[in-house]
Each structure stands twice: as structure tokens, then as C-alpha cells.
Amino acid sequence: MDNHIEIHYCNQCRWLLRSAWMAQELLTTFEDEITELTLRPGTGGVFEVTVNGRPVWSRREAGRFPEITELKQRVRDEIAPEKGLGHSDKKKE
């Protein structure tokens, strides 16, 4: 299956570096599962992550950025639920 991740970030807020770091972490963790990862600049304070078109994180809804472990868990739950993430793993109940 093809798995597409998009990180939509606010360019005005200078969140490119944060987005690129999160992208790198996801690509490293899910190197066999991710077929495409897109960084999409936006405006207005946006920071949203989608997996195969489904939202897994919204800064606006959560009121904060995700911790990288949270983001990896949410992505994993969508694309590779059987994959272990090591010591920081919390699987979806």
C-alpha cells in the first residue's frame, strides 16, 4: 500500500525547520512504510499532519505542537499498527 504523509506548516511563522525535522524523524522511523512525504507551506499559524488524507494532528485543535513520540504513534497507528516503536511506545487501545 502507498502511504502519503503531508505536513502543512505556517511559512509566516517560520516553522519550516520544525516541519523538516519531524519529516526526517518520520522518514527514518517508517522508511519501509512511507512512499511519499510532502511539506506544504501555508499561512495563518497552520500546522497539520495528514496520513493518506486523514488528519492525525492539528495544532489548532490540540493547542500545541506534537511531541515527536506522539506524532510517531499516531502515524504508526494509521500505516503500520503492528510496528513497535521501542521504549516510548503506546499502542492505540
Side-chain angles (χ1 to χ4, degrees):
M1 177 179 183
D2 288 343
N3 290 302
H4 307 278
I5 296 176
E6 180 178 276
I7 300 175
H8 188 193
Y9 67 94
C10 180
N11 197 40
Q12 293 171 317
C13 303
R14 304 287 185 230
W15 291 340
L16 173 60
L17 288 178
R18 179 188 304 259
S19 301
W21 173 72
M22 289 188 178
Q24 174 188 334
E25 287 289 320
L26 292 174
L27 287 167
T28 300
T29 301
F30 302 103
E31 62 187 342
D32 296 326
E33 292 86 9
I34 295 174
T35 52
E36 179 181 326
L37 192 146
T38 303
L39 295 176
R40 183 165 65 108
T43 58
V46 66
F47 186 86
E48 297 172 342
V49 181
T50 59
V51 176
N52 298 325
R54 289 188 299 269
V56 295
W57 191 270
S58 169
R59 180 182 165 274
R60 187 163 284 126
E61 288 177 18
R64 62 183 178 84
F65 288 99
E67 295 294 327
I68 194 62
T69 53
E70 293 181 283
L71 186 57
K72 287 180 180 183
Q73 289 162 1
R74 290 185 183 199
V75 169
R76 183 272 315 276
D77 291 346
E78 293 293 324
I79 67 173
E82 71 290 341
K83 185 178 184 84
L85 296 175
H87 69 280
S88 63
D89 200 6
K90 287 183 192 171
K91 291 197 177 180
K92 198 182 220 179
E93 302 284 327

